[in-house]
Amino acid sequence: MKYTAGQLAEILHGTVDGDSSTVVNSFAKIEHGKSGQLCFYANPKYEEYVYSSKASVLLVNKDFEPKKPVTPTMIRVEDAYTAVAELLKYVSEQRRKYRRHRGCFSSVALSAKLGKKVSIGNCTHIGAKCHIGGYTQIGDNVSIGKGSVIGHHCIIYPGVCIYPGSVIGDNVILHSNVVIGSDGFGNAPQPDGTWKKIEHLGNVIIGNNVEIGAGTTVDKAEMESTIIGNGVKIDNLCQIAHNVEIGDNTVMAAQCGIAGSAKIGKNCVLAGQVGVVGHITVADNTTVGAQAGVTKSILKPGQIVMGSPAFDINQYKRSYVKFRQSGKE
């Protein structure tokens, strides 16, 4: 990348405070910034680095008032954190070359339909009657099962396995070793103490603008569909069981586990290592603290819960104070 401060300001709809001809060619954290690099300042904890930074360009909120002289050229934007996310996306898209490509030893069924400029990596298999939307990029060693549908402008990284009949929307990113559509953990106990496998005949439906992190698994439904809504962001190493429904724009940090038939609402936040038992409902706009265990339905929207079993954060804090004090008696 190589941009002037003026070009960046135009891209981000910001204003330049300093030399608009200043050139940057890479990004860095504000505490590590060097000449030729762009940094951003959004968290007040890092204000000291604004005055010591050697970066060439600094993204700041438009209402930032420096207390000392600032060496880098500043680009003032509505929200610096959002602006840097937009800029990273813009640069990534500029680097991406859309072209029709088929790698070595790849296999595409004759009945599969590929859109415009679909790229296929080495040793990748696309099954019969699959539909792949235009400008989608599929990495090496990917397996896409029979009858699956993948939308436009998706990125499927190496090692992803998509089982037959899966439906994936537009602008979806699946990181390496994601598994979509494996059987859920369904086994019926038998009188002799053994377990009989319950066949899963449903599928997985993933909405638009979803990102799923490396090593995450999304199981298909026993019947009907496991559903991941639009705009959902799931971190690495998460487990989404059969018949789960996750509402639009919910985010989930690493190592979360959602048991079968649970329904997670819209705009929820699940911190790392949260566990949700099966067959319960979590209301919209719920925030669940790290390592919490959700064992019953949360029906009131907008709550923050912590603990295992999880309950209201204010009650949790009061209980935790008493717990700490009890150890001193």
Side-chain angles (χ1 to χ4, degrees), residues 2-319:
K2 187 175 181 181
Y3 298 96
T4 65
Q7 289 172 325
L8 294 172
E10 184 176 349
I11 293 168
L12 299 172
H13 307 291
T15 57
V16 178
D17 189 345
D19 184 1
S20 62
S21 65
T22 303
V23 176
V24 295
N25 50 40
S26 63
F27 299 98
K29 294 180 179 180
I30 191 170
E31 60 268 40
H32 301 150
K34 299 178 181 178
S35 178
Q37 293 184 319
L38 178 144
C39 302
F40 76 100
Y41 166 64
N43 190 328
K45 292 181 180 180
Y46 294 87
E47 184 171 356
E48 62 178 291
Y49 297 109
V50 171
Y51 312 115
S52 62
S53 177
K54 297 180 181 179
S56 294
V57 173
L58 188 63
L59 289 179
V60 300
N61 293 338
K62 67 178 184 179
D63 58 356
F64 172 61
E65 295 293 339
K67 300 180 180 67
K68 301 176 185 178
V70 178
T71 301
T73 293
M74 291 188 290
I75 299 177
R76 295 184 178 274
V77 292
E78 196 69 36
D79 183 298
Y81 194 73
T82 299
V84 77
E86 292 175 353
L87 183 58
L88 289 169
K89 180 180 179 181
Y90 176 84
V91 172
S92 177
E93 289 176 346
Q94 295 303 306
R95 289 178 175 176
R96 200 174 298 152
K97 294 182 179 179
Y98 291 109
R99 60 190 179 92
R100 180 177 286 274
H101 169 75
R102 184 177 298 186
C104 299
F105 307 109
S106 62
S107 169
V108 180
L110 292 176
S111 58
K113 295 183 179 179
L114 274 56
K116 185 178 180 180
K117 295 186 178 180
V118 170
S119 176
I120 301 171
N122 300 324
C123 303
T124 283
H125 171 72
I126 299 176
K129 299 181 180 180
C130 287
H131 289 248
I132 313 296
Y135 301 95
T136 285
Q137 295 182 311
I138 302 170
D140 300 337
N141 297 301
V142 171
S143 177
I144 301 175
K146 179 181 178 181
S148 292
V149 176
I150 298 175
H152 300 273
H153 291 94
C154 294
I155 302 175
I156 314 298
Y157 281 100
V160 169
C161 181
I162 300 171
Y163 278 60
S166 299
V167 178
I168 296 171
D170 299 332
N171 300 303
V172 171
I173 301 174
L174 303 180
H175 288 276
S176 290
N177 299 318
V178 162
V179 177
I180 304 296
S182 53
D183 280 1
F185 189 61
N187 297 278
Q190 303 300 299
D192 62 356
T194 61
W195 297 86
K196 185 174 183 179
K197 177 178 175 60
I198 299 173
E199 296 296 333
H200 287 63
L201 302 180
N203 72 340
V204 174
I205 298 176
I206 297 175
N208 301 325
N209 304 308
V210 172
E211 182 166 3
I212 299 180
T216 286
T217 58
V218 182
D219 294 340
K220 66 184 175 184
E222 290 180 0
M223 297 171 278
E224 301 183 2
S225 301
T226 300
I227 299 174
I228 310 296
N230 296 325
V232 170
K233 311 298 181 185
I234 301 175
D235 199 0
N236 303 331
L237 301 173
C238 293
Q239 159 65 13
I240 312 299
H242 55 229
N243 291 96
V244 165
E245 295 181 18
I246 299 178
D248 295 351
N249 302 313
T250 283
V251 296
M252 188 181 306
Q255 298 184 344
C256 285
I258 314 298
S261 298
K263 292 179 172 59
I264 311 298
K266 299 177 181 179
N267 301 106
C268 294
V269 177
L270 277 62
Q273 297 186 330
V274 164
V276 179
V277 303
H279 304 277
I280 67 169
T281 297
V282 176
D284 296 346
N285 299 295
T286 298
T287 298
V288 184
Q291 296 188 324
V294 183
T295 59
K296 61 181 182 180
S297 291
I298 299 172
L299 301 178
K300 181 181 177 182
Q303 289 193 80
I304 303 175
V305 298
M306 292 186 68
S308 187
F311 56 102
D312 179 76
I313 188 170
N314 293 319
Q315 186 181 353
Y316 175 88
K317 289 178 178 178
R318 290 192 293 269
S319 301

